[in-house]
Amino acid sequence: TNNSVNIPDAYDAEGFDFRGTKQFDEKMGYRSRSFLTVPLRSRNGAMLGVLQLINAQDPVTKAVVPFDPMLQQSVESLGLLAGAALES
């Protein structure tokens, strides 16, 4: 969709297919929870790829938490830089 997607808990997300993630989690004894996916675009807006972060952590408790909207803005800025780097 060329938009960022911020999912607080993949196991509760509607409209997304996380079967592969759930199979991986079961096999590896892991629990994927929060996902932040941002587009990597060229200068003219063409989609080059995506940057995906998994399982944000609370800095104090280290518990897995949803990605903070302020952090999302920072990651989107990083995505712009990464897109420019890929294009170069």
Side-chain angles (χ1 to χ4, degrees), residues 8-87:
D9 190 335
Y11 284 38
D12 294 331
E14 292 185 20
F16 298 95
D17 182 0
F18 281 101
R19 284 180 291 188
T21 299
K22 291 175 182 179
Q23 289 172 352
F24 173 85
D25 286 355
E26 186 176 320
K27 182 177 178 182
M28 302 305 290
Y30 191 71
R31 173 59 161 93
S32 301
R33 188 174 305 271
S34 58
F35 283 74
L36 176 59
T37 306
V38 300
L40 304 179
R41 299 183 196 102
S42 67
R43 281 177 260 179
N44 67 0
M47 179 67 87
L48 300 173
V50 297
L51 173 64
Q52 185 174 69
L53 305 177
I54 301 173
N55 285 352
Q57 289 186 337
D58 180 282
V60 176
T61 66
K62 304 298 184 202
V64 176
V65 295
F67 283 91
D68 183 273
M70 294 301 292
L71 177 62
Q72 179 176 335
Q73 289 180 346
S74 296
V75 174
E76 288 169 344
S77 295
L78 177 63
L80 291 173
L81 293 171
L86 286 172
E87 187 175 35

